[in-house]
């Protein structure tokens, strides 16, 4: 199944990461608030073609088809306000961009600070093929193709131990 099947490759995407898997209750609260928000999310009074999903119990992803109605500064601010409201409601920080998520050897998704990730990479606990999540992507096509992939193909590659050491 393709992520957001009814949206084009160039749809605008925002990814928010929880530092741990969300509980069932936290996901239910998040979904309920986002369902309500999706019904009213608009730009300059025009309803946005939008949707959301929660991936791997920890990534909240919003999407807008800007070919129908572009998101504007105010509408983006509204979405950020909604995510803040959700963060407060579930008491989980969805705005900490200093966390890196990756798939550990045991297959579990782990979040750690950039400093700890760098240390793990320098110690060889993370290698170029470790799968990481790139939450900086902003277009749906990129998210579909490049969101999860090996460190060597991501911005996190800068943390890898250099071959000259």
């Amino acid at each position: 199944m393709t992520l957001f099947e009814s949206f084009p490759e160039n749809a605008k995407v925002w990814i928010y990461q929880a530092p741990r898997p969300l509980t069932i209750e936290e996901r239910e609260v998040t979904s309920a608030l986002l369902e309500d928000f999706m019904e009213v999310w608009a730009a300059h009074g025009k309803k946005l073609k939008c949707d959301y999903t929660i991936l791997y119990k920890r990534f909240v992803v919003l999407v807008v088809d800007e070919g129908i109605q572009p998101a504007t500064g105010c509408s983006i601010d509204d979405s950020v306000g909604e995510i803040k409201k959700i963060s407060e409601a579930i008491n989980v920080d969805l705005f900490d961009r200093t966390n890196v998520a990756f798939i550990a050897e045991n297959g579990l998704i782990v979040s750690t600070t950039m400093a700890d990730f760098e240390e793990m990479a320098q110690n060889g606990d993370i290698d170029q093929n470790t799968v990481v999540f790139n939450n900086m992507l902003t277009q749906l096509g990129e998210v579909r193709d490049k969101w999860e992939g090996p460190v060597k193909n991501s911005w996190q590659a800068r943390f890898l131990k250099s071959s000259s050491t």
Side-chain angles (χ1 to χ4, degrees):
M1 181 177 195
T2 303
L3 183 63
F4 299 118
E5 287 180 356
S6 67
F7 287 80
E9 295 286 299
N10 65 346
K12 180 78 172 154
V13 174
W14 296 267
I15 302 170
Y16 298 90
Q17 176 183 311
R20 58 165 175 75
L22 299 175
T23 65
I24 292 171
E25 182 179 317
E26 291 166 340
R27 291 192 313 272
E28 287 174 350
V29 168
T30 300
S31 291
L33 290 169
L34 284 173
E35 287 289 332
D36 290 345
F37 180 69
M38 294 292 127
E39 290 297 317
V40 298
W41 196 10
H44 296 300
K46 294 184 181 176
K47 173 85 174 80
L48 294 172
K49 179 181 179 188
C50 55
D51 204 355
Y52 79 94
T53 191
I54 301 171
L55 300 173
Y56 298 114
K57 300 179 183 177
R58 76 168 63 219
F59 301 97
V60 177
V61 184
L62 308 181
V63 63
V64 170
D65 183 345
E66 293 197 306
I68 293 174
Q69 172 62 43
T72 60
C74 290
S75 65
I76 293 168
D77 289 349
D78 289 345
S79 70
V80 171
E82 189 65 21
I83 297 296
K84 283 181 182 175
K85 180 175 153 185
I86 291 166
S87 287
E88 291 170 5
I90 64 174
N91 199 27
V92 174
D93 185 359
L94 297 173
F95 287 96
D96 188 350
R97 297 283 185 182
T98 65
N99 278 333
V100 176
F102 64 95
I103 300 178
E105 289 179 5
N106 62 6
L108 295 177
I109 296 173
V110 176
S111 289
T112 189
T113 66
M114 275 191 229
D116 286 346
F117 185 86
E118 181 176 15
E119 184 178 327
M120 293 170 76
Q122 293 298 308
N123 292 337
D125 296 325
I126 302 273
D127 66 30
Q128 65 178 352
N129 296 313
T130 300
V131 175
V132 292
F133 297 87
N134 184 354
N135 298 329
M136 304 305 212
L137 301 174
T138 60
Q139 289 198 332
L140 184 55
E142 293 175 320
V143 173
R144 288 175 177 154
D145 296 337
K146 301 175 189 171
W147 177 55
E148 45 182 306
V151 171
K152 65 184 174 188
N153 296 336
S154 74
W155 66 267
Q156 295 102 327
R158 68 181 188 207
F159 296 124
L160 292 173
K161 188 177 188 177
S162 68
S163 57
S164 62
T165 57

